[in-house]
Amino acid sequence: MAFFLTHKGYKALGVEENKIPTDLAFVDGLEKRGASLFDPPVDAWDEHFQAEIHAMILIGEEDEKKAKQIRYEIQLFLNDAVEVLGEEIGLAMKNQHLDGIEHFGYVDGRSQPLLLTEEIERETESNDGTNVWNPAFPLRQALVADKGGEPDVSFGSYFVFRKLEQNVRDFKAKEAETAEILGLTGDDAELAGAMIVGRFEDGTPVVNQRSDGNNHPVPNNFNYASDKDGLKCPFHAHIRKVNPRGESVGIDSPAIPAHEGQSEMPPVPSEEDERSHIMARRGITYGKRVWTEVDGIRKLDEEHLPVGGVGLLFMAYQYDIEKQFEYTQINWSNAQNYIKPSTGLDPVIGQGEPTVLQKQTKEWGEHGKRSIDFHGFVSLKGGKYFFAPCISFLLNL
């Protein structure tokens, strides 16, 4: 279980000012910052997210029955002390290889920053290694001193929560249309979607090869040094946009102001600076889907594709909301001239009206690109900026 407070939650509890986290984005709240992110207006969010939320409780449990029991016990404990405004239920999905996937059907979460020694050792010894791309990040990537806890030994984390709805039917239709534009047929048609996401559905990185099948384990030990012209993995591909793996060093970031008074961001001076923007993400899918079994393999039913009611509960721990989540969304996903001029929006989570179209090669690894318009299949249904306080702060309330 985890517990989070909004800035208004701290105020409602009467916490002393010098013990409240001071991150400007946290103080403002997601509602106030949404315009710079090109989020939809608050009155278009799900009703419970429009309310003044003070706190959130997160229950993580694989056993659904046990999760419900924990929820019931918490509700009894809270009694009438709080008003429950809403509830979101995540339901993890896995493919036939037992890798986590999202509703568009792609392996998700493979590029997580690793903060714990045992995770890093596992990546080196049991997965595909870390000599090309090192996923090890310091704990300071997610932790900050909690002024409300015991001095020098208490830490918390800023926490971003966003409910992202996915229009699966239209996304898959656009994939098929893109394949037709590129002249890809038969098994080759899957390359169209892989160049949108940056991976094939099974997790194979498209920068590594033009077909799927490299997924035991799903690779993460790669970068884009061998694809400087974006002929294998387009510059707009989702995973290339949100984790450039050293590629943005020395490049001007054409920023959209994150708040009034912010100027364009200077060139990224080093890989360390680029890596400072990466978040510890822990999203989970929500909404139930129809599954089928083909040749003994369980797959998502392609004949029953939802246009709403399913998506991802995006969650991320970080030390600085503006420098991490907002920077990634504004200066990477939404920036249409990043990482190269006329790159276009991130086709998965990019927001805003496109002024330039994405460019995609017709043949993997060959020159000659076609323009496509791929965006608008993920919609924000609500969210909040929180802080996860330390245990000593909670004990001292």
Side-chain angles (χ1 to χ4, degrees):
M1 291 180 287
F3 178 75
F4 310 91
L5 284 168
T6 63
H7 185 260
K8 290 180 178 178
Y10 274 94
K11 293 288 189 178
L13 287 172
V15 177
E16 297 172 43
E17 197 68 36
N18 64 348
K19 295 182 179 180
I20 301 177
T22 56
D23 180 287
L24 179 59
F26 171 72
V27 174
D28 285 345
L30 179 59
E31 300 92 328
K32 186 175 179 179
R33 312 281 286 197
S36 64
L37 301 166
F38 288 115
D39 283 347
V42 175
D43 59 13
W45 294 4
D46 288 351
E47 186 176 355
H48 55 280
F49 286 112
Q50 298 180 37
E52 181 176 309
I53 293 175
H54 292 159
M56 182 174 78
I57 295 173
L58 175 67
I59 302 170
E61 174 56 58
E62 287 189 80
D63 187 316
E64 184 177 359
K65 186 175 181 180
K66 187 174 180 181
K68 289 180 177 178
Q69 178 62 30
I70 294 171
R71 183 205 178 283
Y72 174 72
E73 291 171 0
I74 291 174
Q75 187 70 59
L76 285 179
F77 175 76
L78 295 175
N79 200 1
D80 296 326
V82 301
E83 178 186 356
V84 178
L85 298 171
E87 185 175 16
E88 300 293 342
I89 300 176
L91 298 165
M93 300 198 308
K94 296 182 184 294
N95 63 14
Q96 64 268 31
H97 306 297
L98 300 182
D99 295 313
I101 60 173
E102 46 71 55
H103 281 285
F104 294 144
Y106 290 83
V107 165
D108 190 37
R110 179 62 182 96
S111 304
Q112 297 280 16
L114 305 181
L115 306 176
L116 303 178
T117 301
E118 55 266 33
E119 292 179 324
I120 298 163
E121 290 176 350
R122 189 184 312 119
E123 188 71 11
T124 304
E125 298 169 3
S126 304
N127 289 324
D128 60 331
T130 59
N131 61 311
V132 178
W133 169 252
N134 184 6
F137 285 77
L139 285 173
R140 65 175 179 272
Q141 199 82 2
L143 297 180
V144 293
D146 187 345
K147 297 185 297 181
E150 300 299 325
D152 302 322
V153 295
S154 298
F155 296 87
S157 181
Y158 291 104
F159 186 79
V160 174
F161 183 92
R162 287 165 70 86
K163 181 181 181 181
L164 303 174
E165 185 176 72
Q166 294 175 254
N167 184 337
V168 180
R169 185 185 67 188
D170 289 356
F171 182 94
K172 303 309 280 189
K174 192 67 174 181
E175 273 188 344
E177 179 186 318
T178 302
E180 187 175 340
I181 291 171
L182 299 175
L184 299 169
T185 60
D187 291 342
D188 286 344
E190 287 200 32
L191 183 59
M195 289 194 288
I196 290 296
V197 175
R199 292 183 185 268
F200 288 88
E201 290 189 3
D202 68 358
T204 300
V206 72
V207 72
N208 285 355
Q209 59 187 56
R210 76 177 312 279
S211 60
D212 60 8
N214 183 13
N215 60 310
H216 298 292
V218 173
N220 190 45
N221 190 29
F222 66 91
N223 59 27
Y224 302 105
S226 65
D227 188 30
K228 294 187 181 298
D229 294 322
L231 304 180
K232 301 172 183 176
C233 180
F235 295 119
H236 61 254
H238 171 60
I239 69 166
R240 193 167 188 168
K241 273 270 201 180
V242 298
N243 186 5
R245 298 173 186 251
E247 191 173 32
S248 75
V249 176
I251 294 177
D252 287 296
S253 183
I256 303 164
H259 58 80
E260 188 176 352
Q262 180 178 323
S263 61
E264 287 193 354
M265 304 297 291
V268 175
S270 66
E271 187 169 339
E272 181 181 4
D273 185 77
E274 181 195 90
R275 289 169 67 92
S276 72
H277 302 301
I278 303 297
M279 298 166 283
R281 297 170 290 108
R282 293 294 183 269
I284 189 169
T285 49
Y286 71 87
K288 293 186 177 181
R289 292 286 299 279
V290 177
W291 293 77
T292 60
E293 191 168 300
V294 180
D295 297 328
I297 298 175
R298 184 173 178 263
K299 293 184 176 182
L300 287 168
D301 190 338
E302 296 181 0
E303 294 184 5
H304 298 85
L305 300 179
V307 297
V310 301
L312 186 77
L313 302 177
F314 173 88
M315 295 171 277
Y317 287 97
Q318 57 222 280
Y319 69 93
D320 188 312
I321 295 173
E322 185 175 29
K323 188 172 183 178
Q324 292 175 276
F325 166 69
E326 291 188 344
Y327 187 100
T328 300
Q329 185 69 50
I330 294 169
N331 297 295
W332 289 353
S333 291
N334 294 352
Q336 299 183 50
N337 291 308
Y338 173 83
I339 191 166
K340 302 283 186 179
S342 300
T343 290
L345 290 169
D346 176 335
V348 180
I349 63 168
Q351 299 188 135
E353 280 302 313
T355 56
V356 297
L357 299 182
Q358 298 110 335
K359 307 293 190 300
Q360 210 158 289
T361 55
K362 182 177 179 180
E363 293 293 338
W364 186 86
E366 295 184 9
H367 287 273
K369 297 185 178 182
R370 300 287 299 274
S371 295
I372 62 169
D373 182 9
F374 207 116
H375 76 285
F377 304 106
V378 175
S379 304
L380 178 71
K381 305 301 289 183
K384 296 289 175 183
Y385 288 164
F386 294 95
F387 188 80
C390 65
I391 292 175
S392 60
F393 165 80
L394 298 175
L395 291 174
N396 292 330
L397 274 177

